[in-house]
Amino acid sequence: MLSDAKGAAERLALARITTGLAALNTLWHLPPGEVLADRWDPNEAQEPGGRQRARLTAEQYEGLRRLAFVSIGAWTLGCENKAVKFAANASFAAVQRHVAQFDQRAWNYNSNLNVYLLLLSLTDSRGSLAKEEAAPPEIATAVLGAMRLYYACVYFQSGLSKLLLSGPSWVDGKTLRGSWAELGTRAGKWLSRRPVGVAAVASALALGFEVAFPAAQFMLRKRPQVLGVASLAFHASVKATMDISFWHHAVHALPLFVLPPEAERHTVRVLRHLLVR
């Protein structure tokens, strides 16, 4: 297994809170239905064969958005009702699909939240929020392993796409150097003016990190904190040099790898304190 059995239930409970808050933050910041309706171009909404792709009206979108917000919020706070979990997954998926239709290049930008929401809905992941014993240890271990494996696959597919689209030439530094120059922060623009060898080294390190993450996860399965810290450092460097944030992915390094299982009790205690204020 890719996950250690010790503390699996607690890590799932932390991941539940993390996923719920990330999904709620996403829903809160999505554009209103009227704005999306104004941007809709029927010519760009055709499926192969000339058929018109089905879409939600502004009212349907807003209704599903509210349903997703309420159901995910209830689930995050410990509701295990099957109807609530189904509503959370279905409405959030429908909202995500509707928004993704406006930019097909970013269709899977934060679909990791849908995957984590679904995996966590397969079992009782409440942890300390539950009065009774939650999921059996073997089920919690399996779900945690699936979440960690998916986390690794996000990196692996990114590295693989670089190799398939650009080949080994991606590590020559020219692509990254151009990105630093075009998208870079002050630090990124400064790096773009350094010798191309600097970008080449950074490119090779980034590609190696992404492609090797699944194997490293297996080899370091007894030391998950090392992987989590490496992941956070990777995203911090991207943010610092190009101001690109994959926060919805990186934030899951905390419950899945970095935080100790004991942190779950303290997190729930703080959450309860905030709710009863």
Side-chain angles (χ1 to χ4, degrees):
M1 293 294 293
L2 291 178
S3 60
D4 48 325
K6 183 179 179 181
E10 290 80 2
R11 288 191 180 278
L12 288 189
L14 287 169
R16 179 185 184 125
I17 296 173
T18 302
T19 301
L21 293 178
L24 292 173
N25 184 64
T26 297
L27 289 165
W28 182 264
H29 289 94
L30 287 177
E34 295 80 4
V35 173
L36 293 178
D38 291 339
R39 289 191 55 191
W40 184 262
D41 184 358
N43 296 324
E44 297 181 358
Q46 290 186 349
E47 296 180 345
R51 292 182 303 173
Q52 194 74 12
R53 185 183 297 119
R55 71 180 181 93
L56 301 171
T57 66
E59 293 75 18
Q60 290 171 334
Y61 163 77
E62 287 296 344
L64 284 170
R65 185 182 174 195
R66 293 187 181 95
L67 176 59
F69 198 91
V70 172
S71 56
I72 292 176
W75 172 80
T76 303
L77 296 176
C79 180
E80 272 296 297
N81 183 277
K82 292 182 179 179
V84 171
K85 293 201 286 189
F86 176 80
N89 281 274
S91 58
F92 188 48
V95 169
Q96 291 270 74
R97 176 183 181 276
H98 181 71
V99 175
Q101 288 179 327
F102 291 86
D103 190 350
Q104 291 298 302
R105 296 169 301 176
W107 68 271
N108 64 342
Y109 174 65
N110 61 352
S111 58
N112 66 308
L113 297 180
N114 296 84
V115 175
Y116 291 146
L117 179 61
L118 177 60
L119 288 173
L120 290 165
S121 298
L122 296 177
T123 185
D124 188 340
S125 55
R126 288 177 292 176
S128 299
L129 286 172
K131 295 181 180 180
E132 66 281 352
E133 186 70 20
E138 59 272 15
I139 295 180
T141 301
V143 174
L144 177 62
M147 293 185 70
R148 284 178 167 176
L149 181 61
Y150 179 77
Y151 191 94
C153 286
V154 171
Y155 287 128
F156 186 76
Q157 67 87 23
S158 177
L160 186 62
S161 66
K162 291 181 178 67
L163 289 175
L164 293 177
L165 294 175
S166 301
S169 63
W170 195 87
V171 299
D172 62 11
K174 296 179 181 178
T175 300
L176 181 58
R177 195 184 195 190
S179 298
W180 280 340
E182 181 180 358
L183 306 173
T185 60
R186 179 179 298 181
K189 294 185 184 302
W190 180 83
L191 286 170
S192 71
R193 297 191 292 270
R194 300 306 99 191
V196 71
V198 174
V201 171
S203 298
L205 289 174
L207 183 61
F209 171 83
E210 292 177 334
V211 173
F213 199 92
Q217 186 177 130
F218 177 77
M219 292 185 293
L220 297 173
R221 60 189 179 279
K222 298 297 184 182
R223 302 178 64 188
Q225 294 81 5
V226 175
L227 288 169
V229 171
S231 176
L232 292 174
F234 175 77
H235 287 286
S237 65
V238 175
K239 176 68 175 177
T241 57
M242 289 187 286
D243 200 26
I244 296 176
S245 173
F246 290 100
W247 65 270
H248 51 86
H249 174 68
V251 72
H252 282 86
L254 295 173
L256 296 181
F257 300 102
V258 177
L259 295 177
E262 297 76 20
E264 188 265 342
R265 296 195 308 273
H266 303 297
T267 304
V268 170
R269 189 179 301 118
V270 171
L271 185 60
R272 283 175 172 161
H273 176 72
L274 294 175
L275 292 175
V276 299
R277 288 183 62 182

